[in-house]
Amino acid sequence: PRARGSVVLKHAAVGLLSHAVARKYKLSAWNEVFSLVLLFAGTLLFFALISYTPKDIPSWLWFSHFSPANHPAQNFIGPLGAIVAGICYQLIGVFASLLLAAVLLGFGAAKLFYPQLSVTTRIPWIALFLVSGACMDQAWRISDFLGRKVPVDIRGPGGLIGYGLSDEHHGLLPAALGPVGSVLLIVGVYLTTLILVTGLRPIHFVREMVNLTRRSVTKRHEWQVRRRIRKSDLTEQIKTDKQRRAHERIQTQLKKNG
């Protein structure tokens, strides 16, 4: 009976182990598929954004200003790419739309190397990150610094959200908090959500950069000291060799004379 019980336990343990391995393999496969989907979506969105022209938008959309639309569409991703890019530009503007493409590409690449990275728990922070980016673009026209021309068919560089929240004359935040308060709030939300979305810690990063600089300076100083020591040793060796050869020449001359 004991032998039979041990065999049963052994088979049960093997079964649980195989089930765990199969489940882990399945999760790993889904993570890879999810990361590839994010990379694919980010790439499509990026090319749709940079090739956007309002003339590609069909007349049945509310923000269409041209009829008939281009046929075929000039957008790299076709009419669907023009529609998606147009909706992004209408809602969150130029800079935040590019941030959205960067977020998709970044999380897609990160999931390939770190499967345990959770994207769904970061969705609220990603949304706030994009909203704050739209507000910053509306207030400071960041898209101009990036060399991206604001499409003529959107309300402002920050889209409807940026215009409604941070426009200097019609925005909700400047009306409620004033120019300085709205800027501080937008920048604070942007930096906070940047940390929560990416996991980067600016203070820790600056501290590590300072430590790296100090270590680099120390190693350079040590290298210079070792180099001077090697040079002094080489100089001393050359001097000793010269004295030895001079002494040998004297000894040779004395033997000849003597």
Side-chain angles (χ1 to χ4, degrees):
R2 291 183 179 179
R4 184 179 300 174
S6 63
V7 170
V8 171
L9 290 175
K10 184 178 180 180
H11 284 296
V14 171
L16 289 174
L17 182 60
S18 61
H19 177 72
V21 171
R23 185 171 179 272
K24 184 177 180 181
Y25 177 78
K26 184 177 180 180
L27 290 175
S28 177
W30 275 112
N31 281 326
E32 291 181 1
V33 171
F34 184 54
S35 62
L36 291 177
V37 169
L38 291 178
L39 288 171
F40 184 69
T43 303
L44 290 180
L45 179 60
F46 175 75
F47 281 107
L49 291 172
I50 64 174
S51 60
Y52 174 76
T53 175
K55 293 183 179 180
D56 286 338
I57 300 300
S59 58
W60 50 268
L61 281 172
W62 81 91
F63 57 91
S64 174
H65 295 279
F66 299 93
S67 181
N70 287 333
H71 185 75
Q74 298 178 9
N75 195 283
F76 292 158
I77 315 300
L80 182 60
I83 293 172
V84 173
I87 292 174
C88 289
Y89 281 146
Q90 287 291 324
L91 292 178
I92 56 179
V94 180
F95 178 59
S97 297
L98 294 174
L99 284 180
L100 176 58
V103 167
L104 292 173
L105 290 170
F107 275 105
K111 286 287 287 183
L112 281 177
F113 298 100
Y114 301 99
Q116 68 275 14
L117 179 68
S118 176
V119 179
T120 54
T121 57
R122 288 179 165 87
I123 289 178
W125 309 123
I126 293 173
L128 282 176
F129 179 63
L130 297 176
V131 169
S132 60
C135 292
M136 289 173 61
D137 198 12
Q138 181 68 37
W140 301 324
R141 301 188 72 90
I142 298 175
S143 52
D144 291 344
F145 294 102
L146 298 177
R148 298 299 305 164
K149 186 177 179 181
V150 178
V152 296
D153 60 337
I154 67 175
R155 191 66 181 270
L160 293 173
I161 293 177
Y163 181 85
L165 289 177
S166 65
D167 184 72
E168 182 180 1
H169 303 291
H170 305 93
L172 178 63
L173 295 179
L177 302 175
V180 177
S182 62
V183 167
L184 291 177
L185 177 62
I186 292 169
V187 173
V189 172
Y190 181 81
L191 294 177
T192 302
T193 52
L194 177 63
I195 295 172
L196 293 173
V197 168
T198 62
L200 298 175
R201 295 178 293 169
I203 297 177
H204 177 73
F205 177 75
V206 171
R207 188 183 299 118
E208 289 298 319
M209 289 301 296
V210 170
N211 293 333
L212 179 62
T213 304
R214 287 177 178 175
R215 289 195 296 269
S216 300
V217 171
T218 302
K219 289 182 179 180
R220 178 175 176 80
H221 178 69
E222 292 175 353
W223 176 78
Q224 289 176 344
V225 170
R226 288 195 299 268
R227 186 182 179 188
R228 285 198 296 266
I229 292 174
R230 286 196 299 268
K231 278 187 173 182
S232 62
D233 292 342
L234 182 59
T235 304
E236 189 67 27
Q237 184 179 357
I238 292 173
K239 184 178 179 181
T240 303
D241 290 341
K242 287 182 177 179
Q243 290 176 349
R244 181 176 54 79
R245 286 195 295 268
H247 181 70
E248 289 177 353
R249 285 196 299 269
I250 294 172
Q251 290 291 335
T252 304
Q253 190 67 29
L254 288 176
K255 287 179 180 179
K256 289 181 180 179
N257 294 335

